Amino acid sequence: MSSTAEPHAGMTLPVPPDARRARLAARGWAAVWAVIGRLPAGAVDPSDARIRWRVVAGVAVLNGVCLVLNAVAQGMGRAGQPQAGALFWTAMLVMVFGSALAASRPGVHRLERLACLVVLGQSLHLLKVIFSPIGFYGFDEYLHYRTLLDIVELQTLFASNSLLPISPLYPGLEIAVAPLIALTGLAPFPAALLGISLTRFVAVMACFLMFERISGSSRLAAIAVLVVMSGTSFVGFHGQFAYETLAFALFLVVIGCVLRLEQEPPSMRWQFALVALLLIPVVTVTHHLTSYLTAATIVGVAVLMLARPMPGQPRALVLLLAVVAVAAPPLWKSAVSAPMSDYLGPHIMHALSDMQSLLLRGSPSRTFFVGTDGVQAPLALRLMGVISVVMIGVGLFFGFFRALTFRLPGEREARKPRRPWPSSASVLLALAGAAFPVTVIFKMTSTGWEVGNRLGAFAMIGAGFVCALSVTHFWGRSLRGRTGRTALAGVLALMIAGGIVNGGALLVRTSYQVSADGQSLEPLGIAVAGWMRQVLGENNRVVADRTNSILASTYGRQNVLSTLNGDPAIADLYFGDRLGAHERNIIAAGFVDYILVDLRLPMSAPKFGHYYEPGDLSQYDNLPPRQRDLAKFERHPEIARVLDAGPVVVYDVRKIRR
Amino acid sequence: MMRVGLALLWVLAVRAAAQAELHPVLRACLVLPVLSFFPGYLLLRVLRVRVGGADMIPFAIALSWAILIASGFVLHAFQALSEEGWFAATGTTMVVLAVAAAAMPGPAPQPPTPLPRIDGLAIAGLAVAAGLAVGAVALAVWQAGNDRPFEILEFWMVEGSQPRELLIGMRNGDLDERHVRLEVRGVGRLIHSEPAMVLEPGQTVQRIVRVPFRDTGSAERISAVLLGEGDRILRHTHMTIGEAREPGRIGMEAGR
């Protein structure tokens, strides 16, 4: 020890209380940060493995076998056999588990992961085809089917569609499918299925490539895509023949282009910007809501880039894209005179007011896992549904701050420090993921669930990335071993199955059900609609219930009355046992030619909310129309009973509307 | 130039397949790439977008859709949304883009990354998987076709093309034949009656029945009844005729 040593060297000085508190706080924050925000080095999977096509083929064969079992289960369901549900869900879970395991394991070639995801995406699409193989499943699909038939048969765009007047004004999807029918001779239904299959293919690929580009990890991207698949919309809503399906796939490609701009070398940026620039108008003419969300997302990226004090960002290009994306929807809206405020406005206002009352009252206005017909989903399905949402919530908790501070591997050394956030793309996805709980709250309300369902699909893109980040960067080590990766695949399979339950899209087929869209579709209804076209001619003004109206509009090519089209409400025509002045006024004001009466409706409560038009059930004390109500048309001498098909009868009311 | 030639050949093959009336599935195999892949792929080359291998596929498909949708609007403007119109639009687009891609100066932006080789066993596995998927869908279609919870027997009566003329029809949409008998009745009189007949599966039978005048001259309710075995009433329709009204108004409201 030198003589110049400090007099108190070797002694521990007492730490001032403030400093001790600060140190404790720092340690506490470090512990908390280790849980919610630490990004361990080496968490990202190196992708130097060789592709094993045999694994892909094995996954495809497994999925094929499961699809056959699913078809058997649907047949058993039609026959009313109770084991159908167990077989359906077992086959579905095995199918998803196998694909998820192959795609999410560590040390796998990126193309192998991608191929497994594409196979799973197509298999989930085929599940829907198997569920409803002779006609579309969903109500919305028929609305767009009518627009497609108009383009193919009338050879013109913008023909009137009484059930969804806005559909012909956004004809992107139908235009894309129409040449397939014209040039191949395929019937419209298989052509539409082929188009949707292609859309699903693009959506899965674009999603994977976007996540991989942002994260630099194919494993993280694969897990993120699997989480996106667990959204309530993926299998059902975005698997249907509707404009949002194509728009969603295009949205993913556009956003993929925009988000990769900050990583591209400056010489290559304008090319991807040009691709986005070409696709933004296509999104605009395909779907209104998606075009607004595209604009909002690109504006979000622009704001993040402008707010980040970093040189070398593609601010000018992103600003240009933002301007185009913001300008395109109103320009198209005014070009085609789309009644957007009439169409979207009431939905959004009702959703917001319902959400407000939910937050004030504290109890959801919607009963979960119980259909309008009062049937509750089995416990196992309810559990899967809950697990799906809870696991996404857990993933968001552990991944949100990691996504805010996420940087590409090796980027720390290469770039200058002192940046508020390393990746604008990652921050944007984190913010989108944070919107997921809001969409869940919307879904807890009776009028807001539709808004929540639609926005939820977009929030799931962010949630997928954030959840995948929590898997790779928080549970990374524990989920890399055999048990861990099997558990991960199991959880992902349960989440996807839970997403299907929560979306209410595909369950086991039963025979005919009342007002249940795909489950109400059977050969008699199609035959009656075909008869209308053949014998009565096209474009008569027809009144019908929910199911028969879509059949009459498409197979029958009739003009079905709808309040969306400015026609009078028609439910009063059916409820009540006499044909009084009010009912005659409806017939006269709606210029009704024919009334279709389905005598099966009194059998049970409607599966999907209403018999004839929204609100009719609650208006009539939640009771179905009585047989004697439906028989009132028999008693009027000037009403002709022109078709008797057993449970379905058509009346000619043209004489009494004068 | 080879690419231009190939594009031209492919387009001609699409046309030839249409004229030869090949099966729609075969035509779809030929047409799908022309509609949903090659235009976008060629546009990517024209734009010099540096993306190769599998990564290029979603961009190519999305851009192909963009071209198709733009073509649809153009065809609509020229009132040519027909098979010929689509053929002309897609053919022209393919050839123009192939020429443009070939005419772009300099080397291609990036050689496409070759996909790793796939072995025979994997190909066989994928073929089996495709077969299983097709089989599953075929099974589902068969089940749906046989799922007939309600009998399909349609019976109708509408006004004919002449005054006091009725068009009466019946169709058996079920898979079994039916024995039926037709009767048309007025008020207190039998207008038309037929002996029992067999309706084969899928068979449609139509009759034009002329209703004779009545002495009273007032409106008369006409009922048509389809009787089954043991003269059980299967279906019935009715309408009132006889008062002054325009004849043959069925389907006249089209286009309103």
Side-chain angles (χ1 to χ4, degrees):
Chain A
M1 187 181 288
S2 75
S3 60
T4 57
E6 290 284 327
H8 301 293
M11 294 176 63
T12 308
L13 288 173
V15 180
D18 283 355
R20 197 185 309 154
R21 266 200 298 274
R23 201 190 305 164
L24 269 174
R27 279 185 188 164
W29 173 242
V32 171
W33 189 248
V35 173
I36 64 168
R38 193 166 63 86
L39 294 164
V44 170
D45 198 47
S47 55
D48 53 355
R50 283 178 50 207
I51 185 167
R52 293 163 300 173
W53 284 113
R54 289 182 185 186
V55 173
V56 179
V59 168
V61 170
L62 176 70
N63 285 17
V65 170
C66 291
L67 286 173
V68 172
L69 291 176
N70 265 307
V72 172
Q74 296 296 2
M76 289 166 67
R78 284 177 193 271
Q81 295 180 26
Q83 302 87 349
L87 180 60
F88 172 84
W89 287 106
T90 307
M92 220 277 288
L93 279 168
V94 169
M95 183 176 92
V96 180
F97 173 79
S99 307
L101 183 64
S104 65
R105 284 183 311 167
V108 173
H109 191 278
R110 62 185 290 271
L111 286 183
E112 190 176 316
R113 295 189 199 280
L114 182 55
C116 291
L117 292 172
V118 166
V119 167
L120 178 59
Q122 293 301 311
S123 302
L124 291 173
H125 170 64
L126 285 175
L127 269 188
K128 188 174 159 294
V129 176
I130 288 167
F131 183 83
S132 188
I134 57 166
F136 289 111
Y137 160 74
F139 184 81
D140 288 5
E141 294 186 282
Y142 284 91
L143 309 183
H144 294 282
Y145 188 41
R146 168 69 193 235
T147 304
L148 173 66
L149 292 176
D150 283 341
I151 293 175
V152 171
E153 294 182 9
L154 306 178
Q155 300 187 350
T156 183
L157 304 178
F158 311 119
S160 142
N161 180 340
S162 65
L163 284 178
L164 187 62
I166 208 161
S167 164
L169 306 179
Y170 290 86
L173 171 70
E174 292 84 355
I175 294 177
V177 174
L180 207 54
I181 300 164
L183 295 179
T184 64
L186 278 174
F189 176 60
L193 289 182
L194 199 56
I196 296 306
S197 168
L198 209 57
T199 312
R200 169 61 47 89
F201 178 77
V202 169
V204 170
M205 284 197 84
C207 211
F208 177 86
L209 295 173
M210 177 175 73
F211 290 137
E212 189 193 32
R213 189 80 187 176
I214 293 168
S215 68
S217 162
S218 65
R219 180 167 182 249
L220 190 150
I223 296 169
V225 172
L226 288 164
V227 177
V228 171
M229 285 180 180
S230 74
T232 53
S233 301
F234 186 83
V235 174
F237 194 68
H238 281 158
Q240 60 178 354
F241 182 70
Y243 44 16
E244 191 169 332
T245 304
L246 174 62
F248 183 70
L250 291 169
F251 168 87
L252 288 168
V253 179
V254 170
I255 299 306
C257 284
V258 175
L259 293 184
R260 72 188 291 163
L261 285 181
E262 70 178 339
Q263 291 178 14
E264 288 295 330
S267 62
M268 282 307 298
R269 284 175 178 169
W270 71 267
Q271 283 117 333
F272 285 100
L274 204 53
V275 172
L277 216 50
L278 287 171
L279 293 178
I280 287 169
V282 183
V283 176
T284 305
V285 301
T286 302
H287 186 233
H288 37 80
L289 188 64
T290 309
S291 65
Y292 295 131
L293 289 169
T294 306
T297 310
I298 299 176
V299 167
V301 178
V303 168
L304 284 170
M305 285 188 177
L306 287 173
R308 194 164 72 142
M310 281 284 295
Q313 295 182 93
R315 287 181 183 142
L317 278 178
V318 175
L319 267 179
L320 172 71
L321 290 173
V323 168
V324 173
V326 168
L331 279 177
W332 179 251
K333 176 179 171 283
S334 62
V336 295
S337 308
M340 291 305 303
S341 49
D342 296 346
Y343 179 62
L344 286 179
H347 284 288
I348 294 169
M349 295 315 294
H350 286 148
L352 288 173
S353 114
D354 221 4
M355 186 176 174
Q356 185 189 12
S357 56
L358 165 69
L359 294 174
L360 292 175
R361 205 177 53 240
S363 63
S365 60
R366 190 169 160 237
T367 316
F368 297 108
F369 306 115
V370 179
T372 320
D373 55 356
V375 177
Q376 190 177 41
L379 179 65
L381 300 193
R382 281 180 275 156
L383 271 177
M384 284 196 292
V386 171
I387 286 172
S388 180
V389 176
V390 168
M391 292 313 295
I392 294 169
V394 170
L396 287 174
F397 177 78
F398 289 109
F400 179 71
F401 289 102
R402 290 186 164 86
L404 290 181
T405 55
F406 181 77
R407 68 186 74 234
L408 280 171
E411 200 189 33
R412 191 188 301 265
E413 295 77 29
R415 293 210 180 159
K416 288 182 181 175
R418 304 295 303 160
R419 288 176 295 166
W421 54 86
S423 162
S424 295
S426 179
V427 170
L428 188 91
L429 289 176
L431 296 177
F436 175 77
V438 181
T439 65
V440 173
I441 295 172
F442 267 123
K443 286 178 197 170
M444 293 164 86
T445 65
S446 53
T447 55
W449 75 267
E450 201 169 344
V451 173
N453 197 39
R454 292 182 185 209
L455 294 181
F458 296 89
M460 277 307 292
I461 299 168
F465 179 76
V466 175
C467 291
L469 207 52
S470 76
V471 170
T472 53
H473 287 70
F474 178 67
W475 286 294
R477 288 220 176 122
S478 52
L479 294 180
R480 290 177 83 87
R482 179 171 293 190
T483 313
R485 63 197 187 206
T486 307
L488 175 64
V491 169
L492 287 167
L494 279 175
M495 285 170 70
I496 291 174
I500 293 173
V501 174
N502 291 340
L506 291 175
L507 298 172
V508 182
R509 179 101 204 185
T510 60
S511 198
Y512 176 83
Q513 288 189 36
V514 171
S515 279
D517 294 351
Q519 304 241 42
S520 308
L521 186 79
E522 44 74 46
L524 175 63
I526 296 173
V528 168
W531 171 86
M532 292 181 102
R533 182 178 192 180
Q534 197 182 353
V535 176
L536 302 181
E538 296 182 1
N539 293 320
N540 295 292
R541 289 182 61 83
V542 171
V543 169
D545 58 278
R546 177 184 170 105
T547 305
N548 285 299
S549 66
I550 53 176
L551 295 176
S553 176
T554 50
Y555 294 97
R557 306 276 300 155
Q558 305 297 317
N559 274 338
V560 179
L561 265 68
S562 157
T563 48
L564 273 178
N565 198 35
D567 296 318
I570 51 100
D572 289 351
L573 269 180
Y574 291 95
F575 291 89
D577 61 354
R578 54 187 289 273
L579 196 67
H582 173 57
E583 288 77 14
R584 292 175 74 114
N585 277 342
I586 295 173
I587 292 171
F591 218 68
V592 179
D593 293 321
Y594 297 97
I595 294 178
L596 187 151
V597 175
D598 192 329
L599 300 168
R600 297 169 292 187
L601 301 193
M603 276 167 44
S604 70
K607 184 84 178 167
F608 292 150
H610 61 266
Y611 292 105
Y612 302 101
E613 57 199 8
D616 60 5
L617 196 57
S618 55
Q619 194 185 339
Y620 288 94
D621 304 325
N622 291 320
L623 292 172
R626 297 163 298 183
Q627 288 289 357
R628 75 162 192 247
D629 297 342
L630 300 178
K632 61 177 167 280
F633 303 107
E634 289 288 325
R635 299 189 287 270
H636 200 289
E638 288 184 295
I639 294 179
R641 177 182 170 115
V642 290
L643 172 74
D644 182 355
V648 183
V649 180
V650 176
Y651 295 98
D652 179 349
V653 294
R654 290 176 298 169
K655 282 185 186 173
I656 68 161
R657 76 173 183 221
R658 294 177 195 147
Chain B
M1 285 313 288
M2 194 177 146
R3 201 175 292 136
V4 180
L6 274 176
L8 204 57
L9 265 179
W10 201 305
V11 170
L12 289 175
V14 169
R15 189 65 181 164
Q19 283 178 340
E21 293 183 354
L22 282 183
H23 192 275
V25 174
L26 293 176
R27 285 167 67 185
C29 294
L30 209 57
V31 166
L32 205 58
V34 174
L35 294 180
S36 302
F37 181 74
F38 286 129
Y41 168 74
L42 292 169
L43 187 58
L44 280 173
R45 296 189 73 82
V46 171
L47 297 176
R48 320 298 280 175
V49 179
R50 195 184 292 269
V51 61
D55 298 20
M56 167 268 299
I57 295 172
F59 291 106
I61 297 175
L63 285 173
S64 298
W65 282 336
I67 292 167
L68 264 188
I69 291 169
S71 305
F73 284 114
V74 172
L75 291 175
H76 169 72
F78 288 99
Q79 299 184 335
L81 273 168
S82 57
E83 184 186 342
E84 287 73 26
W86 279 116
F87 175 74
T90 48
T92 310
T93 310
M94 276 274 286
V95 173
V96 167
L97 284 171
V99 170
M104 286 299 287
Q110 184 178 309
T113 317
L115 281 174
R117 278 179 65 86
I118 180 166
D119 62 297
L121 192 62
I123 291 173
L126 290 172
V128 169
L132 285 167
V134 171
V137 174
L139 177 61
V141 170
W142 179 77
Q143 287 167 343
N146 286 305
D147 182 20
R148 290 161 180 262
F150 305 97
E151 60 178 19
I152 306 173
L153 177 62
E154 294 164 286
F155 180 60
W156 62 90
M157 177 169 68
V158 295
E159 293 170 344
S161 55
Q162 300 295 319
R164 304 192 69 82
E165 200 175 82
L166 299 173
L167 174 67
I168 298 172
M170 62 201 87
R171 189 180 83 87
N172 176 16
D174 277 337
L175 303 174
D176 301 318
E177 64 177 28
R178 282 176 172 278
H179 295 263
V180 294
R181 195 166 71 77
L182 171 67
E183 266 189 22
V184 183
R185 297 167 186 161
V187 177
R189 60 175 178 160
L190 181 65
I191 294 171
H192 179 84
S193 176
E194 290 187 12
M197 65 175 123
V198 176
L199 264 184
E200 299 291 340
Q203 188 185 1
T204 300
V205 171
Q206 293 203 91
R207 298 279 186 268
I208 292 175
V209 175
R210 186 165 171 76
V211 180
F213 279 104
R214 279 202 315 171
D215 296 339
T216 58
S218 59
E220 182 182 17
R221 186 174 171 105
I222 308 294
S223 300
V225 186
L226 193 66
L227 302 159
E229 284 171 8
D231 275 355
R232 188 169 60 93
I233 294 178
L234 297 175
R235 302 283 185 265
H236 75 280
T237 59
H238 56 74
M239 69 168 54
T240 304
I241 65 166
E243 77 278 54
R245 61 172 302 189
E246 314 148 39
R249 293 184 66 248
I250 304 300
M252 295 277 284
E253 310 291 349
R256 188 172 47 243

